[in-house]
Amino acid sequence: MALDYIIDYSLETDHCIYNVETMKFQIHDWTKIDEKLLKAIQNNNIDRVEILLTRRAVITTKLGPNGYSCFHVACANGLSEIVKLLISCGADVNACNTRGYCGLHLASHNGFPDVASQLLKP
C-alpha cells in the first residue's frame, strides 16, 4: 500500500534559492527486505547488497519511515561502489527524499565528489 502526501519546502544554497510550491512523495510499506538492504548498505557490504538486489524485487529509491531511501543513504555516506550498483539496478538518480534532496545534493553536501560525479553521468 502506498500513501501519498504533500510537502512544502524551500531549498537555500549559497548561490540561489529554489522555491517549490508542493511536491508529492509516495511512502511505500517498508518491508524486511528493505531493512536488510539498508543494513547491508550501512555496513558497506557490497556483496550482500548485490545478493539482495539480484534475488528480490527491491525499489532502491523507496522512501522509508525516516524519509530517506537506501539509495539516499548510500549517496549521503559516499559509498561509491554501492551507488554504482544501485544505479545499475535501476535506481532513479533524481529521486528526492521527503525534504526534497536528491542523491546529488546529499553527496555534495557531505563532501563526496566521486559519488556526485557518478550521479551526473548520463
Side-chain angles (χ1 to χ4, degrees):
M1 177 181 177
L3 304 172
D4 293 332
Y5 65 95
I6 305 295
I7 293 189
D8 295 323
Y9 71 94
S10 292
L11 174 64
E12 294 185 35
T13 66
D14 292 338
H15 303 290
C16 55
I17 298 175
Y18 301 96
N19 291 316
V20 178
E21 292 180 18
T22 59
M23 289 190 73
K24 189 175 184 180
F25 297 95
Q26 286 194 337
I27 302 292
H28 298 270
D29 290 333
W30 196 251
T31 64
K32 288 182 183 181
I33 194 69
D34 297 314
E35 199 60 44
K36 287 178 182 181
L37 180 60
L38 179 62
K39 187 172 183 172
I41 290 170
Q42 289 172 329
N43 291 326
N44 198 17
N45 187 338
I46 296 169
D47 294 333
R48 181 74 174 141
V49 171
E50 190 170 21
I51 289 168
L52 290 168
L53 291 174
T54 56
R55 290 190 181 169
R56 305 281 185 176
V58 179
I59 303 170
T60 58
T61 52
K62 180 193 305 184
L63 299 178
N66 64 358
Y68 286 80
S69 69
C70 292
F71 177 72
H72 292 121
V73 171
C75 292
N77 288 289
L79 305 176
S80 60
E81 290 301 314
I82 290 178
V83 169
K84 183 178 179 181
L85 181 60
L86 295 173
I87 291 170
S88 72
C89 290
D92 178 5
V93 298
N94 296 312
C96 294
N97 65 14
T98 55
R99 297 195 61 202
Y101 300 120
C102 66
L104 179 60
H105 295 124
L106 298 168
S108 298
H109 177 75
N110 292 330
F112 299 111
D114 54 330
V115 173
S117 66
Q118 277 182 307
L119 299 171
L120 291 171
K121 291 179 183 174

